Amino acid sequence: MRYWLVISLAALFAPPLMAQAPVRDTPPPDVPLIPELSVVQQFEIDRSDRMTVPVRINNSEPVDFIVDTGAERTVISGDLAKRLALEAGPELRLATITGPATAPSFYIEELALNSHKVEGIEAPALERSNLGGNGLLGIDSLEDSKVFLDFRTEHLEVLPSAIGKRPGKLEAGMIVVSAKKRAGRMILSSAQIDGVKVDIILDTGAQASMGNLALRDRLRKRHLRFDYVPVKMRSVTGELLHGDFSQIRQIRIGNFDVTNLPVTFADNYAFHALGLNDRPAILFGMDALKLFDRVVIDFGNRRVAFDLPRGAGREPATRLALASR
């Protein structure tokens, strides 16, 4: 899978840099925080390996959108908006992995999924080449839904959330973990890495997982050697972000472990916009979610269900080794 734009294979796991990138405690003073600032992010797109759902825009023919649980707003590609003759809206402020940005917008009167309809969307418009498709279905279109990802059949569905109900047949036999919401995003706050408490943000729009500098620095203090590879990532606006590509040996979530997960540590501006820049946090991208057979992200009930891979035990210390599919 092609997560990264630049990886020097000859420099794999070189000695760490002595100087550390500065961590900004707060966004620049002229940039507002959530909810005025919408977080929209997408790491390098692997066009052969993504999961989409069909949507209809103002009664159009079905078009595929990437489901992005890390994006506050639903986003449309500029060429699709023009082809559908959508009415132009105001210029909007966004927060991408590289920093604040502005983008034109278009009005979507009705966006219809199989499960429900969303009306009155003011969608930022970005280039298709950076989005990797027709658009992103953000949490403004998912807040009362649950996202069902079945990696065994490579199938994704957006379903109604039975708010106030216990897990149903879909989650039967799965490990259910309670989550909290921050600016609409689902966050697991019961995770630990090497004894360090970590917030995990579930981001289906990112192909690869990313940790913030607060987590990187805490892990550096615990290990004499911190191996990494310098990499670059491209945001939805086409700008590049430098990071340190490494591997986390063990992440404990409830009563199971995720092991040997590739992670890039970077000064991702999305962490700043969500108020998570100064506490250890990690964005779980599709590379992490694909370690499970199935995942259900239930926004309405603030919980996430994980179906362990076939052959994995369900004893208290279950371990999941990263495997290609």
Side-chain angles (χ1 to χ4, degrees):
M1 298 176 66
R2 182 169 61 90
Y3 300 132
W4 316 110
L5 290 178
V6 178
I7 298 181
S8 174
L9 297 179
L12 278 173
F13 297 107
L17 291 173
M18 296 302 294
Q20 298 178 3
V23 180
R24 293 178 294 183
D25 292 331
T26 58
D30 60 333
V31 179
L33 293 173
I34 296 297
E36 291 82 9
L37 190 64
S38 302
V39 176
V40 176
Q41 58 183 33
Q42 183 100 351
F43 306 153
E44 179 67 1
I45 299 293
D46 184 346
R47 291 170 174 77
S48 65
D49 185 26
R50 61 182 180 175
M51 299 177 75
T52 61
V53 292
V55 303
R56 293 178 182 269
I57 298 175
N58 299 349
N59 295 317
S60 71
E61 292 297 316
V63 290
D64 290 334
F65 268 43
I66 300 168
V67 176
D68 190 346
T69 59
E72 181 182 351
R73 284 182 179 269
T74 293
V75 180
I76 191 169
S77 67
D79 62 328
L80 176 61
K82 293 176 181 177
R83 178 159 59 87
L84 296 176
L86 299 182
E87 180 185 351
E91 192 169 75
L92 299 178
R93 295 169 64 82
L94 310 175
T96 73
I97 62 173
T98 53
T102 58
S105 70
F106 290 88
Y107 290 110
I108 298 177
E109 295 179 9
E110 180 184 271
L111 185 147
L113 295 91
N114 290 334
S115 60
H116 67 282
K117 296 179 180 180
V118 183
E119 297 180 346
I121 297 175
E122 199 172 69
L126 299 172
E127 292 186 16
R128 176 187 293 269
S129 59
N130 293 326
L131 286 176
N134 295 309
L136 309 177
L137 196 66
I139 58 176
D140 57 345
S141 301
L142 300 170
E143 57 184 352
D144 293 326
S145 305
K146 58 183 176 183
V147 177
F148 172 48
L149 302 104
D150 188 338
F151 294 107
R152 294 177 304 189
T153 61
E154 298 185 355
H155 177 69
L156 183 151
E157 284 188 76
V158 177
L159 304 168
S161 175
I163 300 175
K165 302 291 186 179
R166 293 185 176 184
K169 293 182 180 179
L170 186 63
E171 296 91 349
M174 302 174 72
I175 297 175
V176 180
V177 180
S178 296
K180 62 182 181 181
K181 282 188 178 181
R182 183 183 288 264
R185 287 150 195 81
M186 296 287 277
I187 299 177
L188 306 180
S189 57
S190 60
Q192 289 191 356
I193 299 176
D194 201 9
V196 177
K197 187 176 179 180
V198 180
D199 288 324
I200 295 180
I201 306 142
L202 301 180
D203 190 348
T204 60
Q207 290 296 108
S209 299
M210 180 178 289
N212 65 2
L213 298 187
L215 175 59
R216 183 201 66 180
D217 294 344
R218 288 288 295 275
L219 295 179
R220 276 182 170 174
K221 290 179 180 178
R222 291 171 176 263
H223 301 281
L224 294 177
R225 182 176 177 81
F226 184 84
D227 297 328
Y228 73 97
V229 178
V231 297
K232 298 177 184 178
M233 294 154 286
R234 188 180 300 278
S235 76
V236 287
T237 57
E239 297 177 299
L240 296 179
L241 175 69
H242 293 262
D244 295 338
F245 177 68
S246 188
Q247 188 177 69
I248 294 179
R249 294 181 180 179
Q250 179 180 340
I251 305 174
R252 170 62 59 88
I253 305 174
N255 64 349
F256 63 90
D257 294 337
V258 174
T259 62
N260 301 325
L261 179 68
V263 172
T264 293
F265 297 96
D267 194 13
N268 181 344
Y269 187 77
F271 288 119
H272 293 267
L274 292 172
L276 293 173
N277 59 301
D278 58 353
R279 53 191 289 182
I282 185 172
L283 288 164
F284 255 27
M286 290 293 278
D287 58 343
L289 296 175
K290 284 183 65 177
L291 298 178
F292 303 90
D293 278 353
R294 298 180 301 157
V295 177
V296 178
I297 305 173
D298 190 338
F299 285 91
N301 292 292
R302 301 187 181 188
R303 62 185 176 227
V304 184
F306 298 95
D307 191 10
L308 300 183
R310 295 176 181 175
R314 295 182 181 270
E315 63 275 8
T318 298
R319 295 177 180 273
L320 304 178
L322 180 64
S324 60
R325 289 176 179 268

